[in-house]
């Protein structure tokens, strides 16, 4: 598909929310390689001649990655990604937000993790959330397309009411802010945005039973259309943090899914859900089930949980 014809899915989703909200305060922008820091194996980072597409490579267990120069707290974050093809067992491609440049013990984190597979078997998309260093909130889905054939948009809507993961225009996961005392909702720390590719063959494919076949290396993931409409963090606290409700992504129309988005969300859970920690009664026998599970129900098959 020619770059001139690549219309932003992110803009289309934003427009659907804007039908019910008004007053856009922040300035949405596309980010480019000079807006990032190459924080891991910079020699494995590449860009197209026009700078519109960039790539990360994994070769001989040496991965690569980058992070944004700025942090953000609340907003809309979207990137189009084309995943590594061929036999990608054990290959993990990530696009995530984190409050620290590193796996600190008190970090907040919001993850897209794409788990590669052997040829002919589908990628699995794992999402996860951390609050104050505690994670273990995995959710896994198959995708309804081949993510290695073309670019698809992976997006996060984050406000003080809900955190929503989108694939193209379809919501696949929702975490609701319930405001109880031990609320597992990341809303107090600004976050960088990261992407990386690395070898996770100790766990990523069939629980680590299938290892990476390095004869297929290099494994290359491609990125374009990194779109941010958010409150950019400025120490000690940005002015936009107190006025987020002047932006479409934090007005009432973005505080819950629309009726059509709820239908799409239910369709995803019914047809593509692989694993959801709130349904794992072996891992979390009663009464140890995480408290947020009671207020973040999903439809699975014909049942609601």
């Amino acid at each position: 598909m020619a770059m001139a014809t690549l219309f932003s899915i992110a803009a289309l989703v934003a427009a659907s929310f804007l039908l019910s909200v008004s007053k856009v305060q922040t300035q949405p922008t596309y980010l480019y390689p000079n807006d990032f820091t190459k924080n891991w194996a910079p020699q494995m980072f590449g860009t197209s001649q026009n700078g519109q597409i960039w790539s990360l490579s994994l070769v001989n267990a040496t991965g690569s990655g980058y992070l944004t120069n700025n942090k953000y707290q609340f907003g809309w974050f979207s990137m189009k990604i084309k995943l590594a093809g061929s036999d990608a067992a054990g290959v993990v491609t990530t696009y995530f937000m984190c409050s620290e440049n590193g796996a600190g013990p008190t970090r907040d984190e919001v993850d897209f993790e794409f788990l590669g597979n052997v040829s002919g078997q589908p990628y699995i998309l794992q999402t996860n959330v951390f609050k104050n260093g505690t994670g273990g909130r995995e959710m896994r889905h198959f995708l309804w397309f081949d993510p290695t054939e073309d670019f698809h948009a992976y997006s996060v809507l984050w406000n003080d009411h809900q955190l929503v993961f989108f694939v193209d225009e379809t919501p696949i996961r929702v975490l609701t802010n319930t405001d109880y005392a031990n609320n597992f909702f990341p809303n107090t720390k600004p976050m960088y945005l990261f992407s990386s590719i690395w070898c996770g063959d100790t766990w990523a494919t069939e629980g680590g039973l299938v290892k990476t076949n390095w004869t297929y290396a290099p494994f290359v993931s491609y990125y374009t259309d990194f779109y941010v409409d958010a409150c950019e963090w400025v120490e000690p606290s940005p002015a936009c943090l107190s006025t987020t409700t002047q932006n479409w992504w934090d007005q009432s129309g973005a505080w819950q899914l629309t009726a059509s988005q709820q239908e799409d969300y239910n369709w995803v859970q019914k047809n593509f859900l692989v694993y959801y920690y709130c349904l794992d009664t072996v891992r979390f026998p009663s009464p140890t089930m995480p408290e947020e599970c009671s207020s973040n129900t999903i439809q699975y098959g014909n049942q609601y949980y």
Side-chain angles (χ1 to χ4, degrees):
M1 183 182 298
M3 286 301 298
T5 64
L6 279 175
F7 293 97
S8 173
I9 294 289
L12 293 175
V13 177
S16 69
F17 279 109
L18 283 167
L19 292 175
S20 57
V21 297
S22 60
K23 290 185 181 178
V24 176
Q25 183 208 30
T26 55
Q27 294 299 314
T29 185
Y30 284 93
L31 301 184
Y32 295 98
N34 60 352
D35 297 307
F36 299 91
T37 296
K38 303 167 190 174
N39 63 328
W40 181 15
Q43 73 276 13
M44 310 293 280
F45 182 95
T47 58
S48 62
Q49 285 188 333
N50 62 6
Q52 299 296 307
I53 297 174
W54 53 102
S55 63
L56 294 175
S57 297
L58 168 65
V59 179
N60 296 329
T62 299
S64 54
Y66 57 83
L67 76 157
T68 55
N69 297 330
N70 298 316
K71 288 184 176 182
Y72 305 89
Q73 187 166 349
F74 304 134
W76 171 264
F77 310 88
S78 183
M79 177 181 280
K80 289 181 179 178
I81 304 174
K82 181 180 177 181
L83 298 176
S86 300
D87 188 322
V91 176
V92 180
T93 304
T94 70
Y95 164 50
F96 66 103
M97 305 168 65
C98 188
S99 59
E100 301 177 23
N101 182 7
T106 62
R107 73 191 186 279
D108 286 0
E109 186 172 318
V110 177
D111 297 336
F112 281 100
E113 296 175 309
F114 304 90
L115 311 182
N117 214 330
V118 295
S119 294
Q121 298 299 314
Y123 265 83
I124 289 177
L125 171 56
Q126 174 171 286
T127 56
N128 201 356
V129 179
F130 287 73
K131 173 70 179 283
N132 291 328
T134 298
R137 268 60 177 181
E138 298 91 350
M139 197 170 187
R140 290 185 173 189
H141 295 89
F142 289 124
L143 296 168
W144 48 97
F145 54 83
D146 184 345
T148 71
E149 290 185 348
D150 204 350
F151 288 96
H152 290 269
Y154 303 94
S155 310
V156 172
L157 171 68
W158 179 32
N159 55 49
D160 201 32
H161 299 268
Q162 65 173 356
L163 177 69
V164 186
F165 295 78
F166 285 87
V167 175
D168 292 327
E169 70 275 17
T170 302
I172 65 161
R173 181 173 185 175
V174 180
L175 181 64
T176 302
N177 184 356
T178 54
D179 284 328
Y180 56 79
N182 296 316
N183 188 15
F184 192 87
F185 188 86
N187 62 346
T188 61
K189 300 174 183 178
M191 302 194 210
Y192 297 104
L193 288 99
F194 296 75
S195 194
S196 64
I197 186 170
W198 48 282
C199 179
D201 68 2
T202 59
W203 65 274
T205 305
E206 296 185 22
L209 295 177
V210 182
K211 303 301 182 181
T212 301
N213 185 342
W214 294 108
T215 64
Y216 289 96
F219 301 99
V220 184
S221 55
Y222 298 91
Y223 306 82
T224 192
D225 286 5
F226 197 168
Y227 180 88
V228 171
D229 186 352
C231 179
E232 184 177 316
W233 189 261
V234 178
E235 296 291 352
S237 181
C240 57
L241 192 60
S242 62
T243 59
T244 57
T245 54
Q246 295 183 22
N247 300 279
W248 70 267
W249 40 261
D250 195 17
Q251 294 184 14
S252 59
W255 293 350
Q256 62 283 309
L257 299 184
T258 66
S260 62
Q261 288 172 339
Q262 186 66 53
E263 290 182 3
D264 290 342
Y265 174 82
N266 292 342
W267 171 77
V268 169
Q269 311 318 324
K270 181 178 180 180
N271 295 286
F272 301 101
L273 181 65
V274 177
Y275 175 83
Y276 182 39
Y277 75 99
C278 286
L279 300 178
D280 192 342
T281 56
V282 174
R283 182 181 174 194
F284 298 110
S286 181
T288 64
M289 186 66 67
E291 189 172 357
E292 72 274 4
C293 290
S294 64
S295 57
N296 285 273
T297 58
I298 65 167
Q299 183 182 9
Y300 185 62
N302 294 318
Q303 301 294 320
Y304 285 86
Y305 296 90

